[in-house]
Amino acid sequence: MSDFSEELIESKTEDDQEESYVFSGTGMSFPWLQNHIGTIATGGKKEKDFAQTTSACLSFIQEALLKHQWQQAAEYMHSYLQILEDSDSHKRQAAPEIIWKLGSEILFYHPKSNMETFNTFADRMKNIGVMNYLKVRFHINLYPVFHIEVKKPERNLFHSRNARYSEKANSHIVFLNFFRLFLGILQFLFFSKAPLELTLTDEDDYAYNAASQSMLNHSCKTSVNLGALIQTPGVWDPFVKSYVEMLEFYGDRDGAREVLTNYAYDEKFPSNPNAHVYLYNFLKREKAPREKLISVLKILYQIVPSHKLMLEFHSLLRKSEKEDHRKLGLEVLFGVLDFAGCTKNITAWKYLAKYLRQILMGNHLAWVQEEWNSRKNWWPDFHFSSFWAKNDWKEDKTLACEKALVAGILLGKGCRYFRFISKQDDEVLRKKIKRIKKSVENHSIVNPGL
Amino acid sequence: MDLEEAKEFKERCTQCAAVSWGLTDEGKYYCTSCHNVTERSKEVINTGAIPNTKIQAINRGLKRKRKLEKGWDWYVCEGFQQILYQQAEALKTLGVGPELKDEVLHNFWKRYLQKSKQAYCKNPVYTRGRKATVLEDNPSHSDWDSEPDLLSDFSCPSFVESGPDSQLDSRTQKPFPISKASQSETASICSGSLDGVKYSQQKEKGIVKMTVPRTLAFCYLSLLWQRETITLSDLLRFVEEGHIPYINAFQHFPEEMKLYGRDKGIFAIESWPAYEDIYKKMIEIAKFLDLPRFPDITEDCYLHPDILCMKYLMEVNLPDEMNDLTYQVVKMTGIGEVDFLTFDPIAKMAKTVKYDIQAVAVIVIVLKLLFLLDDNLEWTLSNIAEKYNEKNKEDKPWFDFRKWYQVMKKSVDEKKQKWEEARAKYVWKSEKPLYHSSIDRAVVYKRREMVVSLQKQFSALTDSAPTVEKKSPSSFQFNWTEGDSAGTCFHGHSLQGILKKKGQSLTTKNSLYWLSTQKFCRSYCKHVTTYEESNFSLSYQFIINLFSFLLRIKASSLHEEVSLIEKRLFKRKYSKTQKKSRSRKRRKY
């Protein structure tokens, strides 16, 4: 609703494209040309005062809306409605749309208006011929949502869905989906309010039964709406989330799992990392076997190697008995640290330092070298420059220590980063640095002798 | 949603042209594709099902009434007569003498009917269709010479007396042209009046056709004839403020005078009258009517520049002392002479004076003489006046242009804002909607109904106060009272700081002057000068805009008038072709 004026302009251009806007080749438009062209279109005839005052009236309304003067806006609206009787059929036909938009805006915020007035207004709109009546109904239902009066708005919506829509079918289909979404959300809102009500009522009460009954009813309807929607390929993140939440609430775990699996794995859907995140979180809540969790995150790893779940993925892999899983664990850590956004992720560095030691102790030098070979050209400058050494030391000494250990292992004692950190004399960390020096000497993949 | 039941209704929807009807709860048809609800309701076939006979009776009654869209037989000129009648009545309530309506306007109108061969002549245009009943008893009045006779004779009662009665009288005498109605309706060109179609097509040379704006020209002509204290700008302002019927004047026609079809083009007006337009029409009509020279406009008439200048000086809050200066300018230019001021339509170049614009132009010239208005001198003079006023608080204060500007600017801006808002809120559409043809009728009425109900809804949201309160008519738009605490009234201020003694007389301190127009356009394009705002000083722009707002005219026409008077004032300068733009000018006071 906030970019209402934009909408208005859009709708205007849709309605009378041929006369009001001039598009240059670059897709730019010159709104100031509009007036000139307007006079040309009327054949140089003087604009009637009626047309003048109504357009002045329109700008007064817009100004009032901008300043949130609903009272004044309503006053001008009273006069602006005359445009419905304009003898210029072009203007007359464009008017309902404008009136609907302005009017609903005014009624939306006007302190004296309520659901009832809003409804009557919308009802009249259908009589003056607002083209997309479904949109009108949509707005009607927005009103209670914004005014926290959710009761049973869907009733109206269901009703309007039964109506027949003729030629404009194409745009309707698009809107219908949108509409379904909204419907689903609305029901979800109702649902999320309901548990609150339930806790307030006494359990033995008859009301409790009735309430829970109606809730079941709602969830039923919602699953129809959202379920149908989610079948359509697309990105439906918030809807899937709330749908699953609802399903889980009613204990329909299988249903939820199915929805999420479908959402994540169906090839018709666009690749969507969140789908996998949702599935993973769901499975985690379900305490699914590690194997399964790993397989979900594997896909996520392929899509977003820098995802924050990757650290969790790493710890899963680390614990795994399978060799290739453990190798993948190293890969994942390196992968995370490839990203500039993760350079200061202390956990990642800690994991890497610990894991490197662990792997080297396990005699898997080849794994490390494999990873390192592709990175040795740029990691030293990317992570282990003397600038970073100074910087890290200043900002976070623990991070600097972890990094120094990794640098020492990967680049040997001579590397700038390690040298800088090891030279630092710090009371608290002295012991730690000593330990680092030791483990570097033990594990470094660079042969110091060479 | 009884789609089954609605199947028998086969008409196309007026909104989307689909044929797909449902029935509403009230039994009305609505279009299922666009939700348009028709006026038509499903007829209840089984009347036995209705227990209440009263409902049946109402049902039948409504149906019969709809077919009867026939009112009285009336002619277009009668419509105009109605409007003129209303306007004359309105003028009377504004305080204009009753002679205006009964004698002057009445005669002008009769003369018009005669000249345009609609009545009061041997062979009026209508006699073929119907006898001009008004004429029957006095067929000989075809000449202006018989004026006294006409004046005493109220053979046109619908004008002088109340309209509806006379219509009823004459109705019995009129043979009803049966063929007409059915013919025109099939051709879908129709009109409520008998000759609406013909009238709108008629293009006879040499005849000034009556239009709604011309009714105002008639009003002004009679005001001028009576030398009433209403100028043209006042008249048009009263129209805009709704004190004189003009827009939707047909609303107040007797109910039996039905208007539709072509009548819409004739009587529906969607613009306010414009000064220049009405002015031209007035001259045109005066010439067409072949009117004699109008009564002299002498020094004691309201329209004389001296008096009008006094009025406008008061209106714009300028010192009374300026009256002497305007008097001088009027005298020097000769625009106060009777021959110049009196309107004579028979003269070769029929031309009347735009009294109000002229008076205002004189004031502008005086301001230029005093302050030069070059964005410099007026402020210097203001500084002097301000200092003087601070020192001598007891004396009569000197006129301070800057202070005056601040006061006026503020109040004019407020007025203008209010005026614009009032215009934006203006209710153009009548309660009685006009439609083009019987096919439109239902749609138009439906639309009207819709607008009214929507308006009701929005007016419920506003405060209970009516949207636009009606101002009581006044020839003054500003009200400055002397001695109010804010010191915003400048009427009593003196011009001492601006004038200086020279010998025995006073001259303006400022000895410079610049001409608003240096060279007049001599080609045949009819305009003598142009007004490009940015070419002029800001103070001049302000003053021109102030006055043109006051008179509701274009700034350019005031500028033109100023230039024309300057031309008279500085004849010598204009006759010598090569002169500097700033001519020196010394005047005695």
Side-chain angles (χ1 to χ4, degrees):
Chain A
M1 295 300 272
S2 57
D3 52 2
F4 157 79
S5 54
E6 266 176 45
E7 253 181 69
L8 199 65
I9 291 161
E10 266 174 39
S11 80
K12 263 188 180 167
T13 50
E14 274 164 30
D15 290 333
D16 38 26
Q17 236 165 10
E18 67 280 340
E19 53 175 45
S20 61
Y21 264 70
V22 180
F23 291 98
S24 71
T26 52
M28 282 164 71
S29 65
F30 303 99
W32 48 269
L33 264 178
Q34 210 172 333
N35 292 333
H36 298 268
I37 287 161
T39 53
I40 292 163
T42 53
K45 222 191 258 174
K46 202 185 144 248
E47 198 183 29
K48 280 181 177 165
D49 285 339
F50 173 69
Q52 239 167 35
T53 58
T54 41
S55 71
C57 194
L58 178 62
S59 47
F60 273 121
I61 297 175
Q62 285 167 335
E63 198 186 316
L65 288 181
L66 214 62
K67 293 179 182 164
H68 291 212
Q69 297 164 332
W70 315 119
Q71 180 87 18
Q72 270 97 312
E75 267 171 48
Y76 286 116
M77 197 65 196
H78 181 268
S79 307
Y80 187 68
L81 289 167
Q82 291 181 92
I83 203 164
L84 288 173
E85 292 180 271
D86 199 325
S87 44
D88 180 348
S89 60
H90 260 289
K91 277 187 188 157
R92 201 172 56 219
Q93 276 155 19
E97 213 63 26
I98 298 171
I99 286 179
W100 159 242
K101 280 173 179 164
L102 295 174
S104 57
E105 187 81 354
I106 294 169
L107 290 175
F108 214 83
Y109 295 107
H110 198 286
K112 274 193 208 166
S113 92
N114 52 36
M115 188 68 205
E116 205 179 317
T117 48
F118 196 82
N119 265 332
T120 32
F121 175 70
D123 243 24
R124 278 168 189 158
M125 283 302 109
K126 97 181 156 192
N127 286 349
I128 64 168
V130 170
M131 289 315 260
N132 200 342
Y133 189 62
L134 204 55
K135 265 186 191 165
V136 175
R137 294 245 61 115
F138 176 68
H139 278 272
I140 297 175
N141 286 280
L142 272 183
Y143 187 92
V145 174
F146 281 86
H147 291 75
I148 321 169
E149 279 181 31
V150 189
K151 272 171 202 151
K152 281 196 177 172
E154 322 85 84
R155 202 165 40 95
N156 291 331
L157 287 165
F158 280 126
H159 174 73
S160 60
R161 272 177 55 195
N162 295 333
R164 221 192 58 182
Y165 302 101
S166 49
E167 305 93 67
K168 310 253 167 188
N170 260 339
S171 67
H172 267 294
I173 285 171
V174 175
F175 191 75
L176 204 70
N177 270 332
F178 177 52
F179 180 72
R180 269 202 201 124
L181 265 184
F182 170 72
L183 205 61
I185 282 297
L186 213 61
Q187 283 154 343
F188 178 73
L189 269 178
F190 184 79
F191 154 81
S192 56
K193 261 188 78 181
L196 202 86
E197 281 166 20
L198 277 187
T199 52
L200 291 178
T201 47
D202 194 354
E203 282 201 28
D204 300 326
D205 205 350
Y206 168 73
Y208 179 83
N209 286 327
S212 58
Q213 193 59 45
S214 84
M215 251 176 71
L216 270 173
N217 245 337
H218 272 278
S219 73
C220 209
K221 278 185 201 161
T222 315
S223 50
V224 171
N225 277 310
L226 283 179
L229 176 83
I230 289 164
Q231 295 302 318
T232 338
V235 179
W236 304 116
D237 293 351
F239 306 101
V240 170
K241 224 171 139 182
S242 23
Y243 185 44
V244 167
E245 195 177 317
M246 225 170 345
L247 288 175
E248 270 187 279
F249 183 83
Y250 294 112
D252 186 4
R253 297 190 153 272
D254 296 329
R257 194 183 308 112
E258 199 191 313
V259 166
L260 284 172
T261 322
N262 185 48
Y263 189 53
Y265 290 112
D266 196 326
E267 281 177 3
K268 282 192 296 251
F269 283 68
S271 148
N272 179 3
N274 283 341
H276 303 282
V277 175
Y278 296 150
L279 182 60
Y280 170 74
N281 283 334
F282 175 77
L283 292 173
K284 208 168 101 178
R285 275 199 299 275
E286 239 189 2
K287 300 203 169 59
R290 191 191 297 150
E291 203 58 22
K292 197 153 192 180
L293 294 175
I294 287 175
S295 71
V296 173
L297 287 181
K298 222 177 199 167
I299 300 171
L300 183 63
Y301 170 64
Q302 271 150 20
I303 309 172
V304 195
S306 64
H307 199 278
K308 63 176 180 236
L309 274 180
M310 284 306 113
L311 292 176
E312 233 171 280
F313 183 41
H314 163 77
S315 22
L316 282 174
L317 291 169
R318 195 175 55 203
K319 283 174 208 152
S320 171
E321 277 97 49
K322 281 192 195 163
E323 195 122 288
D324 57 332
H325 276 172
R326 301 228 304 274
K327 188 178 175 229
L328 186 65
L330 187 69
E331 221 179 291
V332 167
L333 274 182
F334 272 105
V336 167
L337 290 169
D338 278 344
F339 287 89
C342 303
T343 46
K344 285 185 180 167
N345 191 332
I346 184 158
T347 333
W349 284 110
K350 207 182 250 169
Y351 278 175
L352 184 61
K354 205 169 150 195
Y355 202 53
L356 274 176
R357 258 187 305 176
Q358 194 185 324
I359 281 181
L360 290 170
M361 277 196 285
N363 283 330
H364 291 296
L365 184 65
W367 294 359
V368 181
Q369 261 165 350
E370 192 184 312
E371 291 304 316
W372 181 240
N373 275 340
S374 62
R375 290 179 175 89
K376 67 180 171 196
N377 291 330
W378 58 284
W379 266 42
D381 286 332
F382 184 58
H383 285 307
F384 306 127
S385 64
S386 40
F387 165 76
W388 278 121
K390 273 178 219 160
N391 208 39
D392 289 341
W393 184 254
K394 211 160 72 190
E395 279 178 13
D396 190 348
K397 292 193 171 73
T398 3
L399 172 72
C401 288
E402 297 298 338
K403 271 178 90 173
L405 178 53
V406 175
I409 292 172
L410 293 173
L411 289 165
K413 273 198 284 190
C415 103
R416 280 165 298 178
Y417 198 99
F418 177 76
R419 275 214 321 258
F420 180 84
I421 302 296
S422 58
K423 267 189 229 156
Q424 298 303 320
D425 197 33
D426 189 285
E427 289 274 330
V428 191
L429 292 171
R430 193 175 291 156
K431 253 187 183 172
K432 195 171 182 184
I433 291 172
K434 222 174 203 171
R435 240 188 298 133
I436 290 170
K437 278 184 189 165
K438 209 174 172 187
S439 43
V440 166
E441 248 165 66
N442 289 340
H443 300 297
S444 181
I445 57 167
V446 184
N447 198 336
L450 285 174
Chain B
M1 247 185 267
D2 299 320
L3 291 172
E4 275 303 310
E5 284 182 56
K7 267 189 177 161
E8 59 221 77
F9 190 51
K10 286 279 189 285
E11 266 177 46
R12 285 196 174 276
C13 171
T14 46
Q15 293 268 3
C16 67
V19 188
S20 140
W21 298 99
L23 269 183
T24 62
D25 294 342
E26 301 102 287
K28 285 188 176 179
Y29 289 107
Y30 75 93
C31 178
T32 49
S33 63
C34 69
H35 297 274
N36 172 34
V37 180
T38 61
E39 286 246 296
R40 297 280 298 268
S41 52
K42 185 174 158 57
E43 286 168 39
V44 182
I45 303 150
N46 185 7
T47 42
I50 302 169
N52 196 342
T53 46
K54 210 171 182 180
I55 294 173
Q56 290 178 42
I58 290 166
N59 231 1
R60 238 178 284 134
L62 283 173
K63 244 187 257 168
R64 201 181 305 142
K65 209 170 189 181
R66 201 162 288 148
K67 280 177 201 156
L68 199 121
E69 179 60 14
K70 203 89 219 139
W72 286 334
D73 292 346
W74 59 282
Y75 286 96
V76 171
C77 68
E78 284 174 310
F80 286 119
Q81 188 166 305
Q82 264 288 340
I83 295 176
L84 280 172
Y85 171 78
Q86 289 170 25
Q87 286 171 342
E89 283 292 328
L91 283 171
K92 216 161 105 184
T93 51
L94 285 176
V96 171
E99 310 83 40
L100 179 115
K101 182 185 133 211
D102 296 343
E103 287 166 27
V104 184
L105 185 54
H106 182 204
N107 267 319
F108 283 166
W109 178 241
K110 278 200 286 190
R111 201 169 166 109
Y112 172 78
L113 290 178
Q114 185 186 29
K115 289 270 174 193
S116 60
K117 298 201 177 71
Q118 296 186 71
Y120 302 105
C121 60
K122 289 229 168 82
N123 189 21
V125 282
Y126 297 131
T127 36
R128 269 154 288 155
R130 162 192 111 160
K131 280 188 181 170
T133 46
V134 270
L135 276 184
E136 270 170 359
D137 31 8
N138 46 351
S140 64
H141 300 306
S142 54
D143 214 336
W144 188 255
D145 298 334
S146 57
E147 185 182 345
D149 213 342
L150 270 172
L151 280 176
S152 57
D153 161 31
F154 290 167
S155 62
C156 194
S158 64
F159 187 58
V160 178
E161 298 302 319
S162 61
D165 297 337
S166 72
Q167 294 278 2
L168 272 174
D169 293 342
S170 52
R171 196 183 171 199
T172 47
Q173 301 163 24
K174 286 175 209 160
F176 184 70
I178 309 148
S179 58
K180 186 227 153 210
S182 54
Q183 262 176 12
S184 57
E185 236 150 73
T186 47
S188 89
I189 304 166
C190 60
S191 66
S193 57
L194 285 176
D195 60 339
V197 179
K198 212 177 112 201
Y199 191 88
S200 53
Q201 286 161 350
Q202 177 191 336
K203 269 183 203 159
E204 203 170 322
K205 243 190 181 174
I207 283 190
V208 175
K209 236 165 104 177
M210 200 57 196
T211 58
V212 182
R214 289 210 168 96
T215 58
L216 287 178
F218 265 101
C219 288
Y220 183 60
L221 269 180
S222 23
L223 285 170
L224 192 58
W225 185 276
Q226 285 298 95
R227 292 178 287 181
E228 286 288 349
T229 56
I230 295 181
T231 59
L232 181 52
S233 60
D234 286 335
L235 180 75
L236 302 186
R237 190 161 50 83
F238 290 148
V239 168
E240 203 185 295
E241 284 169 10
H243 302 301
I244 295 170
Y246 177 72
I247 286 151
N248 296 332
F250 60 86
Q251 260 190 108
H252 307 292
F253 283 8
E255 208 182 314
E256 288 83 354
M257 276 171 84
K258 301 286 182 203
L259 279 97
Y260 53 88
R262 286 303 171 98
D263 302 334
K264 187 179 176 184
I266 301 170
F267 289 105
I269 287 291
E270 290 197 332
S271 280
W272 284 294
Y275 191 101
E276 292 292 326
D277 181 46
I278 303 293
Y279 173 76
K280 270 185 211 142
K281 291 204 157 83
M282 180 202 108
I283 294 174
E284 189 186 38
I285 287 173
K287 271 156 92 181
F288 177 69
L289 297 185
D290 219 4
L291 294 178
R293 187 181 148 114
F294 275 51
D296 286 352
I297 295 194
T298 50
E299 278 169 34
D300 50 354
C301 284
Y302 179 72
L303 296 176
H304 192 274
D306 286 347
I307 295 176
L308 275 180
C309 279
M310 210 184 292
K311 187 230 156 183
Y312 285 115
L313 280 176
M314 266 165 84
E315 175 93 297
V316 297
N317 203 8
L318 283 167
D320 298 334
E321 280 182 28
M322 274 175 70
N323 263 322
D324 295 317
L325 289 162
T326 58
Y327 176 74
Q328 293 259 349
V329 171
V330 168
K331 210 171 165 196
M332 282 181 73
T333 50
I335 56 172
E337 274 154 37
V338 176
D339 283 340
F340 177 79
L341 289 173
T342 308
F343 180 38
D344 190 357
I346 313 175
K348 228 179 187 182
M349 287 281 283
K351 192 183 155 204
T352 183
V353 177
K354 298 165 183 169
Y355 303 96
D356 34 13
I357 302 188
Q358 182 188 272
V360 159
V362 169
I363 297 176
V364 174
I365 288 173
V366 168
L367 281 170
K368 272 170 86 178
L369 284 168
L370 287 173
F371 297 100
L372 193 59
L373 303 185
D374 65 344
D375 281 347
N376 188 14
L377 187 70
E378 64 269 36
W379 307 123
T380 321
L381 291 172
S382 308
N383 289 340
I384 297 169
E386 198 182 341
K387 268 180 203 153
Y388 175 86
N389 288 345
E390 262 171 37
K391 273 184 207 157
N392 310 283
K393 282 196 175 142
E394 301 304 307
D395 289 7
K396 196 176 179 186
W398 285 5
F399 178 70
D400 182 346
F401 185 84
R402 179 181 292 122
K403 219 176 145 200
W404 174 80
Y405 167 79
Q406 283 161 353
V407 169
M408 286 313 285
K409 174 87 179 146
K410 190 168 162 269
S411 38
V412 167
D413 284 351
E414 275 169 20
K415 258 256 146 63
K416 221 174 198 163
Q417 177 72 23
K418 268 195 194 141
W419 176 70
E420 270 162 17
E421 282 170 12
R423 272 167 82 99
K425 281 182 189 171
Y426 191 83
V427 180
W428 289 95
K429 296 297 171 182
S430 73
E431 293 139 30
K432 224 159 74 172
L434 295 181
Y435 49 92
H436 274 300
S437 62
S438 49
I439 308 159
D440 281 356
R441 187 174 176 272
V443 181
V444 168
Y445 271 85
K446 184 80 213 164
R447 207 177 280 144
R448 177 76 222 158
E449 205 178 284
M450 209 60 230
V451 169
V452 168
S453 70
L454 279 171
Q455 279 178 337
K456 216 182 265 167
Q457 186 172 20
F458 278 98
S459 52
L461 290 181
T462 60
D463 281 333
S464 50
T467 42
V468 188
E469 70 268 31
K470 245 191 178 177
K471 278 177 276 176
S472 56
S474 163
S475 49
F476 282 96
Q477 296 171 64
F478 290 105
N479 191 15
W480 311 102
T481 43
E482 212 137 350
D484 59 347
S485 52
T488 52
C489 179
F490 293 86
H491 291 156
H493 289 211
S494 87
L495 296 177
Q496 260 192 333
I498 316 158
L499 301 170
K500 64 176 178 194
K501 260 217 165 92
K502 197 177 182 242
Q504 287 207 309
S505 55
L506 287 162
T507 45
T508 55
K509 257 189 189 166
N510 161 41
S511 57
L512 298 171
Y513 195 82
W514 54 273
L515 296 169
S516 294
T517 302
Q518 290 179 49
K519 247 186 177 173
F520 286 92
C521 177
R522 284 170 190 278
S523 64
Y524 297 102
C525 53
K526 276 185 182 167
H527 72 271
V528 287
T529 179
T530 51
Y531 178 57
E532 177 62 49
E533 206 172 42
S534 54
N535 289 344
F536 294 92
S537 67
L538 292 172
S539 342
Y540 183 71
Q541 282 176 37
F542 169 72
I543 289 187
I544 290 280
N545 287 334
L546 163 68
F547 282 114
S548 52
F549 170 68
L550 220 56
L551 303 183
R552 312 278 197 268
I553 52 171
K554 275 188 240 147
S556 59
S557 54
L558 176 56
H559 176 75
E560 187 182 306
E561 191 71 29
V562 170
S563 308
L564 286 174
I565 295 176
E566 276 176 359
K567 197 177 168 189
R568 288 174 153 263
L569 194 59
F570 304 101
K571 260 183 224 138
R572 270 189 312 129
K573 306 286 166 198
Y574 278 106
S575 57
K576 286 177 199 163
T577 42
Q578 279 177 351
K579 265 279 162 193
K580 274 185 211 161
S581 64
R582 287 192 172 175
S583 59
R584 287 182 163 263
K585 163 81 188 149
R586 202 159 263 148
R587 282 183 347 95
K588 297 219 160 154
Y589 178 61

